[in-house]
Amino acid sequence: MQPLALIDAIKQQSETLRDVLLDVGPGVPVATCPGWTSNDILSHMAWAYGAATTGMDTPLDGPMPDFGQPPKAWDQALEAWDVARDKLLGRLNGIDPAATRAWVFSPAAERTAVFWLRVVAHETAIHRLDTEHARAGDDTGEMLGSVSFDTELAVDGIEEYLTLLVPAFVPRRDPIAIGGSVTYHATDIDRIWHVRVRPGDVPQVVDAAEPDDRSASVTGAADAVYRALWGRPSNAVVTGDNELLDTLRSP
């Protein structure tokens, strides 16, 4: 997605998320984020908006900045959300994100503000989905049909997850002990991502599927594949080796 489209997605998804959170109210369990309540979503997104601004204002080669931690009490978290979101959008006003250098947490990312646009756009979209599930009182594990993500946003989210986030979070886990290949297929646009999994390495997107004894696939519309990657209820068809898929599970 182009930077302006990402900024529009942040605005639209965050406005909807805020409205849904206010409708849900404080202290409501969020089944799609086990152990979290609506307060946690609110506080986390205030943190995410603040982290993006901080990342853009931190020297490229500096240490990981202190992102702080917003309060979880409802009224204070809502105030922190509004301040952090407005500050982020103000920081983005009038700049060229692709030319604005930034500290990033992924070793695979270009060090520009575009990285933070993508992180925030998809954090907002996925947690908006979580709150929609909470509002619907839905803990069935079925895809929530009343919410849809446009194909461009979903495809960008799949790409961001596999190419930028996987290299960031997989090295923090125990080393991968198995090998194989995982295929993600967005059928509505016939877009395919082939992921190579090897013991001790970070999974990588490759140009073509490789012959492997172990394999898995996730197939469906881009919206469904996007949700499945993030571990949210989805009607994507999942087949093959679950242990392989687990190497790519969302944080």
Side-chain angles (χ1 to χ4, degrees):
M1 291 177 71
Q2 294 298 310
L4 288 179
L6 287 165
I7 293 172
D8 284 343
I10 292 169
K11 291 177 179 177
Q12 294 165 9
Q13 294 293 328
S14 63
E15 288 168 1
T16 302
L17 172 53
R18 190 182 190 279
D19 288 344
V20 177
L21 277 168
L22 290 177
D23 193 25
V24 168
V28 175
V30 180
T32 49
C33 289
W36 279 30
T37 70
S38 49
N39 292 56
D40 293 291
I41 298 286
L42 187 60
S43 178
H44 174 73
M45 289 312 306
W47 175 88
Y49 299 140
T53 303
T54 299
M56 287 189 284
D57 291 336
T58 297
L60 300 185
D61 298 319
M64 181 175 179
D66 179 5
F67 293 122
Q69 185 58 56
K72 289 190 178 180
W74 185 260
D75 290 342
Q76 291 91 331
L78 182 60
E79 181 180 2
W81 158 296
D82 288 334
V83 169
R85 178 183 179 275
D86 289 348
K87 185 176 180 180
L88 173 60
L89 293 176
R91 179 71 173 81
L92 293 170
N93 187 35
I95 70 167
D96 177 359
T100 302
R101 305 293 280 168
W103 183 92
V104 302
F105 61 79
S106 172
E110 292 187 6
R111 297 179 180 185
T112 73
V114 174
F115 171 78
W116 288 104
L117 293 185
R118 297 179 84 181
V119 168
V120 170
H122 298 297
E123 281 286 314
T124 305
I126 291 298
H127 288 309
R128 175 249 171 140
L129 176 62
D130 291 328
T131 59
E132 295 276 15
H133 275 280
R135 179 164 67 173
D138 178 37
D139 58 1
T140 64
E142 295 183 0
M143 182 166 168
L144 191 63
S146 60
V147 176
S148 63
F149 296 114
D150 69 55
T151 301
E152 184 182 26
L153 180 66
V155 167
D156 188 81
I158 297 166
E159 186 80 15
E160 183 231 14
Y161 186 99
L162 292 175
T163 64
L164 300 182
L165 298 188
V166 166
F169 67 71
V170 167
R172 302 175 190 172
R173 298 174 173 170
D174 292 337
I176 292 173
I178 61 174
S181 60
V182 182
T183 299
Y184 296 90
H185 184 189
T187 54
D188 49 341
I189 57 166
D190 199 24
R191 176 78 181 273
I192 298 175
W193 294 264
H194 301 288
V195 182
R196 180 176 62 207
V197 179
R198 293 292 181 266
D201 288 339
V202 175
Q204 291 184 318
V205 175
V206 295
D207 291 335
E210 300 177 357
D212 276 301
D213 292 335
R214 304 179 71 162
S215 64
S217 66
V218 179
T219 304
D223 182 3
V225 174
Y226 179 44
R227 299 182 199 214
L229 259 181
W230 278 98
R232 269 53 178 190
S234 168
N235 61 10
V237 177
V238 180
T239 61
D241 193 314
N242 286 329
E243 192 176 0
L244 266 181
L245 290 168
D246 192 53
T247 66
L248 297 162
R249 72 185 184 278
S250 61

